[in-house]
Amino acid sequence: MREVITLQFGENANYVGAHYWNLQEAYADEHRTGELFTQRSNKPSVPRALVFDAVGNFGAQALEEDLQSTGNDEIDEDQALWAGAKEVHRQPLYPKHTDSTQPTRMRFWSDFAQTKLSPHAMHVVSGVEFGNSLGEMNTFQEGLQVFAGTDSRGDVLEGNFRAFAEECDHLQGFQVLADAFGGFAGYGSAFMAKIRDEYPKAPILLYSVGRTQPARQLRNVQLMDAAISVATNSEIVSMSVPLFTPTPITKLNAHIHITIGTTDYG
């Protein structure tokens, strides 16, 4: 078996990742193999993937199992330490919408996801402690700072990443979907650099995902981030594939219409 570990960094990358796993799930109904999915006895196979995003981008339903199990553990622990009355208030979980015919109701990338991910694959990244003064992670440099701060507390490759790697019989390599610019571009780049140090000969295939908008609509900081990301990752990854919708879009099919801003192509 030649297994592949998938890593996803940022909102744009996770939208693409959600549809990617939907396709893999549909194909795997008849041809499921262990390259991309874990094969554990007495447990349903799940993608061998780690997903990183801001807490507000997951959608409550995507983290429901994790939140419920974590919350119950915390309650049990608190009850053991406190014998008095206790009242717990929880915000209702956001209902997951799966009707793709009503795209206006789809708020999160997890609304599109049909493939069950392990709750341990979800990793919330926050810039509150190591990001800028507002607790944000908007630039490539801020992403590097957040990663460095997180890694200083403990090796980020330990835990779920290490568990995935050690269960592989013959690790083939890594495929990464990461935002092309912004904080998660920097965070993902630093994570890949850490992987390269740990696995110097393993191939790393990077899909750099950007939003569907012309370059002239990008702010200067985003253009700079994208340039820094390309330059930095070129020294780390084995191959980098940019994923942007080209503009202007040539007319490929009379039934396809793509709107970018106020311009309609098709």
Side-chain angles (χ1 to χ4, degrees):
M1 188 75 66
R2 294 177 60 82
E3 299 89 349
V4 174
I5 295 178
T6 303
L7 305 169
Q8 300 172 199
F9 299 95
E11 184 179 16
N12 296 326
N14 285 324
Y15 269 106
V16 174
H19 293 291
Y20 170 80
W21 289 115
N22 288 346
L23 291 172
Q24 293 297 329
E25 181 75 16
Y27 177 78
D29 285 342
E30 298 180 359
H31 306 85
R32 175 162 294 188
T33 61
E35 283 82 0
L36 296 174
F37 292 84
T38 62
Q39 302 285 341
R40 297 174 180 173
S41 59
N42 301 325
K43 292 184 179 180
S45 60
V46 294
R48 189 179 291 104
L50 299 178
V51 179
F52 299 81
D53 210 335
V55 64
N57 294 335
F58 279 100
Q61 187 66 26
L63 288 174
E64 179 176 4
E65 183 178 345
D66 194 26
L67 288 173
Q68 289 179 345
S69 61
T70 301
N72 292 335
D73 292 342
E74 291 176 351
I75 292 175
D76 293 340
E77 182 179 353
D78 291 341
Q79 291 287 7
L81 299 176
W82 173 255
K86 189 176 183 66
E87 184 176 352
V88 178
H89 297 271
R90 278 206 183 97
Q91 181 178 356
L93 295 175
Y94 173 80
K96 183 175 180 178
H97 297 291
T98 59
D99 186 0
S100 59
T101 63
Q102 297 180 334
T104 57
R105 301 186 63 189
M106 313 290 272
R107 293 179 53 190
F108 305 102
W109 56 262
S110 57
D111 289 336
F112 295 94
Q114 303 299 319
T115 304
K116 179 67 174 179
L117 294 174
S118 168
H120 302 294
M122 307 290 188
H123 291 74
V124 175
V125 179
S126 172
V128 171
E129 186 171 1
F130 302 109
N132 61 29
S133 58
L134 298 177
E136 298 174 339
M137 194 174 69
N138 295 325
T139 67
F140 189 92
Q141 186 61 35
E142 289 171 356
L144 294 179
Q145 293 173 356
V146 171
F147 180 88
T150 304
D151 193 44
S152 66
R153 289 188 162 183
D155 191 347
V156 295
L157 297 189
E158 296 301 326
N160 294 325
F161 177 89
R162 186 72 65 190
F164 272 147
E166 291 182 352
E167 74 178 12
C168 296
D169 296 327
H170 188 170
L171 180 59
Q172 182 177 176
F174 306 89
Q175 64 174 356
V176 181
L177 291 88
D179 286 359
F181 48 80
F184 280 97
Y187 191 94
S189 180
F191 202 105
M192 289 186 292
K194 189 86 174 180
I195 292 175
R196 178 55 70 209
D197 291 339
E198 185 83 5
Y199 301 91
K201 296 183 179 180
I204 300 178
L205 173 60
L206 169 64
Y207 295 95
S208 187
V209 184
R211 294 181 179 179
T212 305
Q213 57 188 10
R216 64 180 179 275
Q217 294 182 7
L218 295 176
R219 293 182 289 113
N220 288 337
V221 65
Q222 293 173 328
L223 292 173
M224 182 63 69
D225 263 9
I228 295 174
S229 178
V230 170
T232 304
N233 293 333
S234 64
E235 301 179 0
I236 302 172
V237 304
S238 307
M239 177 179 291
S240 179
V241 181
L243 294 180
F244 290 82
T245 300
T247 55
I249 300 175
T250 57
K251 189 172 183 180
L252 301 178
N253 190 301
H255 302 289
I256 297 178
H257 295 272
I258 300 178
T259 300
I260 302 176
T262 58
T263 306
D264 185 38
Y265 299 95

